[in-house]
Amino acid sequence: MDVIFIEGFVGQTIIGIYDGELHEPQPVGIDLYAGVERARACDTDRIGDTIDYGVVHERLHRLLREHRVQLLEAFAETIADILIHEFGARWVRVKVTKPRKFGDVQAVGVQIERQSTDADTPRDRRSPGPARHAAVLQLIGSGMVPGKR
């Protein structure tokens, strides 16, 4: 498995459950790791064949502006869902922290790991399923070869 990652991302957002957290943006740190089955980009050298961490970076900024969750756990889960459903990750680890939440600690936060199911993965990132294999075999059996004219 290949892992694409972003470490040390820091953004500002409104998140929390206490009154003092709900009016002004506060810093949050994000580390994320997205696993893909051997990225085709290793062979093709094309960004479209892997997860583009530049696009993920922009998506994180948009999430910071638009989310409506209160807990870091729900925020981390949202990031995991985005990586799986929008970017085709098979496995993710997401760590979200609030730096200096308390004067005597460096950070507080949460770290989660999730795995996708085949149904979660965008069609263009999946291997052909059994139905596709059967259809190709049926064509070959009838004398037709897919891709030839």
Side-chain angles (χ1 to χ4, degrees):
M1 179 169 293
D2 296 349
V3 178
I4 288 82
F5 65 92
I6 295 176
E7 290 180 338
F9 177 97
V10 178
Q12 297 276 327
T13 196
I14 295 175
I15 193 165
I17 58 171
Y18 300 110
D19 189 51
E21 299 175 307
L22 301 176
H23 303 289
E24 293 295 322
Q26 60 185 301
V28 292
I30 301 170
D31 294 333
L32 63 85
Y33 304 85
V36 294
E37 293 179 26
R38 190 177 188 284
R40 288 187 304 239
C42 295
D43 297 325
T44 66
D45 199 28
R46 292 187 347 223
I47 193 66
D49 290 334
T50 189
I51 295 176
D52 184 340
Y53 49 76
V55 177
V56 174
H57 177 261
E58 289 303 315
R59 184 66 176 91
L60 287 175
H61 278 290
R62 190 171 102 211
L63 178 64
L64 288 170
R65 291 188 308 270
E66 297 174 352
H67 80 88
R68 298 289 178 251
V69 299
Q70 292 182 291
L71 297 178
L72 293 182
E73 290 84 350
F75 190 70
E77 188 73 26
T78 302
I79 294 169
D81 285 347
I82 288 168
L83 292 168
I84 290 169
H85 294 104
E86 294 180 24
F87 293 94
R90 303 294 289 169
W91 164 88
V92 297
R93 177 183 295 144
V94 179
K95 179 179 176 182
V96 180
T97 60
K98 288 184 180 181
R100 305 278 179 223
K101 174 70 178 149
F102 304 108
D104 58 349
V105 297
Q106 185 174 347
V108 298
V110 62
Q111 179 172 294
I112 66 170
E113 288 189 33
R114 300 291 183 264
Q115 289 187 336
S116 73
T117 63
D118 194 48
D120 293 329
T121 307
R123 174 56 65 189
D124 63 342
R125 296 211 187 256
R126 291 186 216 160
S127 60
R132 170 118 167 91
H133 291 299
V136 169
L137 287 175
Q138 185 177 9
L139 286 172
I140 292 170
S142 68
M144 299 178 70
V145 179
K148 288 200 171 191
R149 296 183 187 246

